[in-house]
Amino acid sequence: MKILGVLGSPRIGGNSDILLDQALAGARAAGAEVEKIVLCQKKISGCLDCGKCNTTGVCAIKDDMIDIQKTILEADAVIHSVPVYFWAMTSQMKAYLDRWCAFFDGEWSMHKAYRPKMKGKKIGLITVCGDPNVSTADPIIHSFKTTSEFARLNWIGVVQATAASKGEVAKNEAVKKEAYELGRKAATP
Ligand SMILES: Cc1cc2nc3c(=O)[nH]c(=O)nc-3n(C[C@H](O)[C@H](O)[C@H](O)COP(=O)(O)O)c2cc1C
């Protein structure tokens, strides 16, 4: 099993990074090979809606998302981890998600060539918000869960945490365990 972790926070060593590492540790403990992509260290432009990928299945923008798309295809599961920025996901994560457009044809069906590798791929999510009410992250969950269902992927769930200062979530053993279990679930057939 190959498990891919995608970090949407620009704060390296921050709360979503810590929880993503927990999830990847859980996946590794379950015997998986893991890889982590830190989006803020990549060059990923926003989707231009040029429509070229509708026919080719490959984005016309030649940046790091080309290789990331290949890595997603090869992964059995993808776990995303992202903080709430103004009641939404970070710009790094949104640019990445919009580029998933390349998986689809002009009718918003998964390109035939990608179906065998995408169908049933496990998708998980970790959210962190400063607000004590974790449901502040619900719009992000809606976005990822609906995208997963729309693309016929296998939504495996979400871990929602509250933490404000850098690394604060490290004290929260319960949510770290939840993230670890999400990783185990991703790596368990
Ligand atoms: C630009 C910006 C906007 C934010 N907006 C929100 C928000 O709307 N709601 C909230 O609960 N927390 C908000 N936060 C707080 C972060 O979600 C919180 O600090 C989180 O722990 C950051 O996670 P990280 O350490 O993984 O980067 C915001 C932080 C920043 C920097």
Side-chain angles (χ1 to χ4, degrees):
M1 298 279 277
K2 282 189 190 164
I3 311 301
L4 174 64
V6 177
L7 180 65
S9 171
R11 192 157 69 164
I12 312 298
N15 299 309
S16 7
D17 196 7
I18 289 169
L19 292 179
L20 183 59
D21 283 348
Q22 285 292 314
L24 296 179
R28 216 179 277 112
E33 186 187 315
V34 306
E35 181 174 346
K36 181 165 137 185
I37 292 175
V38 178
L39 294 178
C40 73
Q41 294 172 347
K42 303 287 180 186
K43 189 172 181 324
I44 305 174
S45 301
C47 172
L48 297 173
D49 194 13
C50 67
K52 299 232 169 64
C53 65
N54 290 168
T55 46
T56 63
V58 180
C59 186
I61 307 169
K62 302 302 175 210
D63 62 12
D64 290 333
M65 197 60 200
I66 301 291
D67 282 341
I68 294 173
Q69 187 187 9
K70 291 179 194 154
T71 309
I72 292 167
L73 282 167
E74 294 311 317
D76 296 288
V78 186
I79 299 176
H80 302 91
S81 187
V82 63
V84 174
Y85 275 14
F86 293 100
W87 295 271
M89 68 184 79
T90 59
S91 54
Q92 291 88 353
M93 187 62 96
K94 189 62 167 69
Y96 154 91
L97 188 59
D98 288 352
R99 296 283 295 281
W100 273 50
C101 203
F103 288 121
F104 300 94
D105 65 19
E107 270 74 54
W108 287 105
S109 284
M110 180 73 61
H111 276 292
K112 277 203 183 79
Y114 297 146
R115 283 181 205 165
K117 289 193 163 170
M118 291 300 278
K119 193 160 182 263
K121 192 183 297 292
K122 293 180 177 180
I123 301 292
L125 178 67
I126 297 165
T127 63
V128 183
C129 60
D131 193 319
N133 182 357
V134 293
S135 67
T136 293
D138 285 356
I140 304 179
I141 298 165
H142 177 75
S143 181
F144 275 94
K145 185 166 184 279
T146 311
T147 301
S148 298
E149 288 164 359
F150 179 70
R152 302 199 175 157
L153 311 179
N154 178 6
W155 176 253
I156 58 164
V158 57
V159 172
Q160 291 176 265
T162 287
S165 59
K166 184 175 178 181
E168 184 187 330
V169 83
K171 293 181 287 189
N172 188 337
E173 294 300 331
V175 84
K176 282 199 295 182
K177 175 122 199 333
E178 268 187 66
Y180 185 88
E181 291 304 327
L182 183 70
R184 279 184 71 90
K185 188 174 177 182
T188 308

